[in-house]
Amino acid sequence: MVKRILEPYLPIPVLGEKNGRPVLENSRPKSIGRVRAFGGNFGVLVRALAYTLAYGPGIRQATEDAVLNANYIRKKLEDVYDLPYKSPSMHEVVFSDARQKKNGVSTMDIAKRLIDYGFHPYTTAFPLIVSGALMIEPTESESKQECDLFVDAMRSIAQEAATDPELVRTAPHSTRVSRLDEVAAARKPILRWKPKAASSATD
C-alpha cells in the first residue's frame, strides 16, 4: 500500500485495468522503472518442480535419506567437533570450530584441509547464528561408505588440528594453487586475464 501521491512513481510493471480486465502497465512516464527482473524466482521454482517430478513417489525416501545421513555424520563427529545446538538435525548438521580455535585453527582452515582429502569443503559462513560454522549437508545421494570416508577425513583433521595445527592452517597442500588471499580477491578482484611477458633469451 502506498499513498496516491506516490502511485505514479511505482516500479513497472504495475497491475492495472483495461476494459474490465487486469493488465500489466509498462507505460508510466514518472515510474522509477524496474527494480529487479520481473520473472522473480521463476528459475528456482522450475528447478524445484523438476526435482520433485523426477523423484515422484520416491521423494519421501530421498528426504528421509538426507535426514538420516546428516544425523549419522552428526553422531560420528560430535565427540571431536563442537555441537552448538543439541536438537536433532534435519537435512544438515552444523558444528562450530570452538574446540579447534583453541589451537588457532578456524573453520576455513578445516575446510581448506578437507580439499587435501578429496572432499569439496562444507559451507563455512552460514548459518550466521553459529560462530565458526561447519555446515555439512550430505544430501540423499551419499552412500554409507561415502559418509564414512568423510567422517574419517574430518576426524583426521580434528586430530591434526590438535597435534599439528600449522599443517591445517596452511592447507591445502595437494592443489596446483596454494591458499588464496580471499580478502584481497574480494577487495581487489582481477577481472581480466593478462598473459605474462615473454621471457627474454637470457632467462
Side-chain angles (χ1 to χ4, degrees), residues 8-116:
Y9 304 98
L10 287 175
I12 56 171
V14 173
L15 186 62
E17 186 178 325
K18 185 175 182 180
N19 299 327
R21 300 186 63 170
V23 294
L24 292 175
E25 297 179 1
N26 284 293
S27 180
R28 300 174 66 87
K30 294 183 178 180
S31 170
I32 63 170
R34 293 189 178 189
V35 294
R36 62 182 175 85
F38 178 64
N41 292 327
F42 179 75
V44 172
L45 298 175
V46 169
R47 285 192 290 276
L49 176 62
Y51 178 86
T52 302
L53 293 175
Y55 267 105
I59 196 165
R60 181 181 179 89
Q61 184 65 55
T63 303
E64 291 174 351
D65 289 348
V67 173
L68 179 64
N69 283 346
N71 280 279
Y72 179 76
I73 288 174
R74 169 199 173 113
K75 196 66 182 171
K76 291 286 189 176
L77 295 178
E78 64 184 2
D79 64 317
V80 291
Y81 290 95
D82 180 64
L83 193 62
Y85 295 98
K86 308 304 180 189
S87 54
S89 299
M90 295 303 287
H91 66 288
E92 64 198 18
V93 55
V94 179
F95 295 101
S96 85
D97 62 6
R99 296 182 192 177
Q100 289 70 36
K101 269 282 176 68
K102 295 173 184 175
N103 292 319
V105 173
S106 71
T107 182
M108 186 62 74
D109 299 329
I110 298 165
K112 297 294 186 184
R113 181 62 175 145
L114 198 54
I115 296 171
D116 290 330

Side-chain angles (χ1 to χ4, degrees), residues 115-126:
I115 296 171
D116 290 330
Y117 284 85
F119 289 95
H120 189 284
Y122 51 80
T123 302
T124 60
F126 195 81

